[in-house]
């Protein structure tokens, strides 16, 4: 490798395509990584890219026509239209580290921030926000589908000048002019190079958000408070819509396009590269379906925390993505709000499901005939007359082939086609209410569990002409709703690529989040919605502790998280079946921002360790084999040993960021079947002494067995009881190196 390739090789990030880009004639977009920049002047870096490309294509003119993006700020590389043969020739050139085809990647409130941070009017419960001055002048970069600048959530009234350190720009375009940016939206860029033309049809050729996803995410992170907001103005979920860091600034990077929001890898790289150079303080990417992108490591090395969604493929194990150790990977939880909907049968039995049925124009005050649609597929509905009636349906049995969200959506679509006037859908998960939005103005669509569905079916069997009446949904918040719970769709660990790096890192609200979409406020669910909650907290922590590294911020969030619900019981994870949540569901636990602001101890990581880590994943040599087999030695705020044979000793170093004089004592909850001993068991910090201390944890399997993962924790608590610094542990004992069981 050339001298610039060491750090760059960390950036060849094992891109795992979710959907390959279609070839355009004989050429398609390739991403070329060339290592660290040889020049500080971006124009010289770009010129070098043209020269390299011209050497393959034959002329500077051909190079200028071929190149799509030049990555010139955080690292050196480019995206270009190439044939397969040209890509192969480029990959053989000196100074080129890697050439890879582009790919498409998938995007993955009134109440949620009250749950996470406390009520904004409660002086005691919103301590972190007050310390951080509500994120004042922190700049959050949002890489997504754009923004709707006219939304009330982006009002800049009362804001001072844009911070002088900001180097970004406001790119104009269709329905987006220079005045679309303001003192709240300080910058906006858009990227179409490498994007499938089909995705651009009907889109705004500008930073303006066509889909709504990016606006929703941005307003969740940093939206200005907007009072009297509710779902489409219906009164459902009414309250104050606000971001977690409502005084922070937003920098928008539109790299995702189309009605279903897909993102070109080449465009995402360009957005990350620009954002790092523009001067963002935090990067938020609610993306899934891939591994991490080149540029994120450079951002972290420059002090910019990067927050990613963990994917929506749960509850199956090994589905979490975005698992690089320098990223904060977020799982989705449910909060203490539900939308009970009364279902009254003809015998006056009252049952309750959940829905978002609010439309007064859809008249269901009368009793309607009720029919059984079984699976609500076309064949089932063809066997009954559902026109003008309410249909009872059941979720598909194989949730792996037909997951709950898709099953509910298919049922809605099918009963609409036959002219039904209502749907009662039985399933194991209530995390799919977003699909009910397509029922608005047409019919009520209610989710029930199988027990309630069975009672409805029993009534139908014993009644000659069964009828039902569905009332509009209401809003219930607080202690009546068990929370938090990990959402069923939230992807689970362990990491497929790096099982010794425990992922996800943290859980945050991601179900039925009400936030800005165009000029209204709508619900969305997903780890895409959980991600901006963590990004907002990171912005606040960055404001309070500007000297903290991204690893320290991540550690503070993970080690102070809660593993119990509001009643002191273990947090549950929705799935098949529902169970107590473990670190593969929620990492360190559910986010507790006020505690994260004062964690006591943190686990820091030198970015050089990240560099070594990825250098070994891409160009194994020297001691890489041994190093990659001991990834659990990275100084992360977690311990994951996927292949415990006998015993292993893990080392960790903590940094005291609390009182200078303090003593911490260890408490261990050992994973089942594993003994854990810690040395030392007491750590004392003193004035004028080192603020760092190292401890070793020895994990020993109690029996030789080809085992499964078990979980525990290691916590350091100070004598005054002010701090408890807890890290999760996941261990699997093995006899052979490779096993299939991950449960």
């Amino acid at each position: 490798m050339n001298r610039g390739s060491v750090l760059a090789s960390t950036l060849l990030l094992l891109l795992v395509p979710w959907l390959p880009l279609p070839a355009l004639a004989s050429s398609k977009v390739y991403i070329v990584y060339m290592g660290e920049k040889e020049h500080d002047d971006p124009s010289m870096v770009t010129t070098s890219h043209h020269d390299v490309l011209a050497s393959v294509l034959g002329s500077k003119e051909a190079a200028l026509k071929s190149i799509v993006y030049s990555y010139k700020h955080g690292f050196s590389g480019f995206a270009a239209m190439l044939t397969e043969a040209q890509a192969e020739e480029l990959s053989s050139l000196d100074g080129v580290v890697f050439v890879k085809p582009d790919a498409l990647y998938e995007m993955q409130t009134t109440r949620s921030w009250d749950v996470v941070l406390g009520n904004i009017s409660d002086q005691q419960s919103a301590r972190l926000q007050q310390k951080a001055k509500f994120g004042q002048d922190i700049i959050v970069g949002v890489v997504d589908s754009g923004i709707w600048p006219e939304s009330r959530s982006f009002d800049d009234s009362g804001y001072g000048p844009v911070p002088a350190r900001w180097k970004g720009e406001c790119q104009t375009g269709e329905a987006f002019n220079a005045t679309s940016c303001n003192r709240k939206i300080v910058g906006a860029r858009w990227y179409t190079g490498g994007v499938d033309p089909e995705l651009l049809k009907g889109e705004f050729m500008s930073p303006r958000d066509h889909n709504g996803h990016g606006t929703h995410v941005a307003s969740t992170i940093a939206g200005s408070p907007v009072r009297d907001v509710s779902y489409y103005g219906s009164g459902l979920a009414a309250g104050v819509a606000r971001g977690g860091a409502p005084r922070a600034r937003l920098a928008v990077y539109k790299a995702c396009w189309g009605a279903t929001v897909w993102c070109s890898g080449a465009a995402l790289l360009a957005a990350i590269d620009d954002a790092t150079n523009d001067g963002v303080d935090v990067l938020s990417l609610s993306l899934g379906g891939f591994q991490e992108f080149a540029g994120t490591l450079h951002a972290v090395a420059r002090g910019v925390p990067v927050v990613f969604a963990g994917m929506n493929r749960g509850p199956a194990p090994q589905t979490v993505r975005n698992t690089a150790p320098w990223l904060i990977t977020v799982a989705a939880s449910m909060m203490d709000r539900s939308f009970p909907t009364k279902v009254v049968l003809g015998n006056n039995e009252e049952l309750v499901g959940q829905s978002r049925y609010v439309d007064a124009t859809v008249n269901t005050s009368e009793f309607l005939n009720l029919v059984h649609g079984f699976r609500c597929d076309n064949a089932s509905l063809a066997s009954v007359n559902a026109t003008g009636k309410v249909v009872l349906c059941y979720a598909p049995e194989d949730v792996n082939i037909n997951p709950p969200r898709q099953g509910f959506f298919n049922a809605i679509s099918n009963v609409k086609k036959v002219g039904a006037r209502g749907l009662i859908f039985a399933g194991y998960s209530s995390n799919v209410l977003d699909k009910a939005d397509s029922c608005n103005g047409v019919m009520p669509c209610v989710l029930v569990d199988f027990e309630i569905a069975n009672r409805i079916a029993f009534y139908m069997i014993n009644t000659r002409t069964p009828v039902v009446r569905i009332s509009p949904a209401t809003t219930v918040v607080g202690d009546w709703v068990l929370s938090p719970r990990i959402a069923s769709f939230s992807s689970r660990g362990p990491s497929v690529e790096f099982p010794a790096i425990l992922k996800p890192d943290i859980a945050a609200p991601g179900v039925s989040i009400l936030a800005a979409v165009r000029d209204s406020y709508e619900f969305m669910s997903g780890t895409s919605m959980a991600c901006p909650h963590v990004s907002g907290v990171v912005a606040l922590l960055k404001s309070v502790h500007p000297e903290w590294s991204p690893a320290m911020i991540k550690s503070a969030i993970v080690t102070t998280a809660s593993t119990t619900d509001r009643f002191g019981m273990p947090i549950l994870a929705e799935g098949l079946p529902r169970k107590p949540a473990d670190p593969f569901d929620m990492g360190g636990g559910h986010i507790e921002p006020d505690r994260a602001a004062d964690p006591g101890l943190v686990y820091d990581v030198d970015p050089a360790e990240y560099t070594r880590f990825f250098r070994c994943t891409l160009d194994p040599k020297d001691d890489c084999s041994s190093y990659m087999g001991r990834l659990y030695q990275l100084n992360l705020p977690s311990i994951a040993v996927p292949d415990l044979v006998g015993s292993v000793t893990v080392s960790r170093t903590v940094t005291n960021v609390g009182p200078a004089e303090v003593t911490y004592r260890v408490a261990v909850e050992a994973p089942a079947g594993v003994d854990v001993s810690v040395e030392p068991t007491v750590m004392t910090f003193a004035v004028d002494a080192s603020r760092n201390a190292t401890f070793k944890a020895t994990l020993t399997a109690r029996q030789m067995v080809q085992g499964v993962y078990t979980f525990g924790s290691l916590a350091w608590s100070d004598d005054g009881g002010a701090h408890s610094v807890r890290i999760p542990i996941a261990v699997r004992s093995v006899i052979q190196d490779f096993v299939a069981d991950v449960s």
Side-chain angles (χ1 to χ4, degrees):
M1 285 190 180
N2 74 322
R3 64 186 178 88
S5 63
V6 172
L7 179 57
S9 64
T10 70
L11 305 174
L12 310 187
L13 306 179
L14 302 177
L15 295 175
V16 180
W18 179 251
L19 185 68
L21 284 171
L24 299 178
S26 60
S27 299
K28 61 182 179 180
V29 176
Y30 284 83
I31 297 172
V32 181
Y33 302 90
M34 298 185 66
E36 279 193 83
K37 299 181 298 178
E38 299 288 342
H39 310 281
D40 290 330
D41 185 346
S43 64
M44 294 183 67
V45 179
T46 297
T47 298
S48 71
H49 297 161
H50 294 161
D51 292 341
V52 169
L53 199 50
S55 70
V56 171
L57 301 184
S59 71
K60 183 66 71 73
E61 181 181 6
L64 291 173
K65 289 182 178 179
S66 171
I67 199 162
V68 178
Y69 296 110
S70 176
Y71 309 126
K72 54 190 179 293
H73 299 302
F75 59 98
S76 178
F78 59 88
M81 295 293 297
L82 302 168
T83 65
E84 184 176 352
Q86 291 166 343
E88 290 181 2
E89 185 178 350
L90 261 176
S91 67
S92 67
L93 296 181
D94 183 46
V96 174
V97 181
F98 199 86
V99 179
K100 197 173 190 73
D102 192 15
L104 284 180
Y105 303 108
E106 185 182 11
M107 302 302 298
Q108 290 293 326
T109 86
T110 52
R111 181 63 185 172
S112 59
W113 281 115
D114 287 346
V115 172
V116 173
L117 287 167
N119 193 302
I120 196 169
S121 62
D122 185 338
Q123 298 297 307
Q124 181 65 22
S125 65
R127 293 186 298 271
L128 175 56
Q129 281 190 319
Q130 294 171 30
K131 289 179 184 177
K133 298 181 180 178
F134 299 91
Q136 182 173 309
D137 288 345
I138 294 295
I139 301 171
V140 182
V142 182
V143 182
D144 212 289
S145 64
I147 198 161
W148 195 265
E150 294 82 10
S151 171
R152 292 176 291 167
S153 289
F154 309 124
D155 181 9
D156 68 347
S157 298
Y159 281 74
V162 174
R165 58 191 167 82
W166 175 245
K167 298 188 294 182
E169 60 182 87
C170 186
Q171 292 182 345
T172 59
E174 181 182 357
F176 199 99
N177 55 38
T179 61
S180 296
C181 294
N182 57 18
R183 290 169 297 179
K184 180 72 173 180
I185 304 171
V186 298
R189 298 179 184 266
W190 52 295
Y191 307 83
T192 57
V195 178
D196 182 357
E198 287 297 315
L199 292 175
L200 300 178
K201 290 181 178 179
E203 264 279 8
F204 293 106
M205 293 296 101
S206 73
R208 183 171 291 276
D209 186 7
H210 173 72
N211 173 273
H213 190 279
T215 301
H216 195 283
V217 166
S219 66
T220 301
I221 297 171
S224 300
V226 181
R227 299 190 176 278
D228 300 322
V229 164
S230 63
Y231 177 56
Y232 288 115
S234 65
L236 195 67
V240 178
R242 59 178 172 118
R247 298 296 290 179
R249 317 291 182 122
L250 289 164
V252 176
Y253 300 86
K254 182 178 179 179
C256 305
W257 301 81
T260 52
V261 196
W262 290 91
C263 319
S264 156
L268 288 166
L269 274 171
I272 293 168
D273 191 40
D274 281 338
T276 304
N277 187 65
D278 287 344
V280 301
D281 298 302
V282 181
L283 260 176
S284 183
L285 297 97
S286 288
L287 311 175
F290 59 98
Q291 282 307 98
E292 47 287 336
F293 292 99
T296 58
L297 177 55
H298 278 295
V300 169
R302 291 173 66 168
V304 180
V306 182
V307 187
F308 268 86
M311 277 289 281
N312 302 330
R313 296 292 181 267
Q318 294 184 305
T319 52
V320 67
R321 295 295 182 267
N322 308 324
T323 56
W326 57 81
L327 301 176
I328 302 175
T329 308
V330 186
S333 68
M334 304 167 65
M335 56 182 166
D336 63 340
R337 181 173 65 190
S338 66
F339 306 107
T341 303
K342 187 183 297 184
V343 176
V344 182
L345 304 179
N347 61 2
N348 290 323
E349 182 178 8
E350 294 185 355
L351 306 171
V352 177
Q354 287 203 63
S355 79
R356 292 181 185 162
Y357 164 50
V358 294
D359 196 335
T361 63
V362 181
N363 182 16
T364 57
S365 59
E366 74 221 65
F367 280 95
L368 298 175
N369 288 334
L370 178 63
V371 297
H372 206 310
F374 302 97
R375 300 297 173 195
C376 266
D377 53 20
N378 291 329
S380 297
L381 292 174
S383 65
V384 298
N385 177 15
T387 303
K389 301 173 183 176
V390 176
V391 184
L392 173 66
C393 297
Y394 284 79
E397 292 179 351
D398 193 335
V399 296
N400 292 315
I401 296 176
N402 201 343
R405 282 184 166 191
Q406 191 60 43
F408 187 34
F409 179 79
N410 290 343
I412 292 170
S413 177
N414 290 338
V415 298
K416 278 184 180 180
K417 290 177 184 177
V418 298
R421 291 185 60 187
L423 169 66
I424 300 173
F425 185 82
Y428 73 88
S429 172
S430 61
N431 301 163
V432 297
L433 273 177
D434 285 351
K435 297 301 181 183
D437 288 351
S438 61
C439 300
N440 287 340
V442 180
M443 61 184 183
C445 296
V446 184
L447 286 170
V448 298
D449 62 23
F450 289 110
E451 179 182 352
I452 289 178
N454 185 64
R455 291 167 67 176
I456 296 172
F458 182 81
Y459 158 73
M460 295 171 69
I461 291 171
N462 292 279
T463 304
R464 177 171 297 179
T465 308
V467 293
V468 65
R469 183 178 66 208
I470 300 173
S471 301
T474 58
T475 304
V476 172
V477 298
D479 288 346
W480 285 19
V481 183
L482 185 64
S483 69
R485 288 176 285 162
I486 304 303
S488 61
F489 60 73
S490 187
S491 286
R492 308 310 211 254
S495 164
V496 173
E497 294 81 12
F498 313 114
I501 297 173
L502 200 156
K503 292 286 180 171
D505 294 303
I506 194 70
V511 176
S512 294
I513 305 302
L514 190 70
V517 175
R518 297 202 172 201
D519 294 320
S520 186
Y521 290 83
E522 299 179 15
F523 290 115
M524 289 188 185
S525 297
T527 54
S528 280
M529 282 60 253
C531 174
H533 282 88
V534 175
S535 300
V537 172
V538 170
L540 297 175
L541 293 175
K542 189 80 170 175
S543 177
V544 174
H545 299 291
E547 75 284 4
W548 282 7
S549 70
M552 294 169 76
I553 290 176
K554 173 179 170 178
S555 172
I557 289 173
V558 172
T559 61
T560 59
S562 174
T563 59
T564 56
D565 64 22
R566 58 196 296 123
F567 303 106
M569 302 292 288
I571 291 174
L572 297 177
E574 296 290 309
L576 295 174
R578 180 184 294 135
K579 67 179 183 67
D582 60 50
F584 288 161
D585 302 314
M586 61 179 181
H590 201 266
I591 194 165
E592 293 282 349
D594 282 334
R595 293 182 59 198
D598 181 22
L601 305 174
V602 294
Y603 295 76
D604 199 6
V605 180
D606 187 333
E609 281 299 306
Y610 298 144
T611 299
R612 184 185 183 193
F613 165 77
F614 257 102
R615 181 183 64 205
C616 283
T617 66
L618 302 165
D619 186 24
K621 60 182 180 181
D622 301 328
D623 64 342
C624 279
S625 178
S626 172
Y627 178 80
M628 294 303 288
R630 296 182 295 109
L631 288 181
Y632 44 74
Q633 299 292 4
L634 277 172
N635 201 50
L636 301 173
S638 60
I639 296 174
V641 182
D643 52 1
L644 179 62
V645 179
S647 68
V648 66
T649 298
V650 177
S651 177
R652 289 290 187 273
T653 298
V654 293
T655 300
N656 179 20
V657 294
E661 291 192 11
V662 64
T663 296
Y664 281 88
R665 304 178 191 278
V666 74
V668 175
E669 180 184 341
V674 179
D675 290 325
V676 180
S677 62
V678 179
E679 183 63 35
T681 58
V682 178
M683 296 189 300
T684 298
F685 296 89
V687 177
D688 298 327
S690 173
R691 297 183 72 84
N692 296 328
T694 298
F695 67 89
K696 297 182 184 296
T698 300
L699 293 79
T700 305
R702 293 179 186 168
Q703 57 272 320
M704 290 291 291
V705 63
Q706 198 73 18
V708 298
Y709 278 102
T710 57
F711 307 97
S713 64
L714 185 157
W716 291 97
S717 299
D718 62 16
D719 285 346
H723 303 99
S724 178
V725 188
R726 178 188 178 277
I727 62 173
I729 301 174
V731 182
R732 180 178 59 187
S733 63
V734 298
I735 299 173
Q736 299 175 350
D737 288 341
F738 297 100
V739 295
D741 197 336
V742 299
S743 62

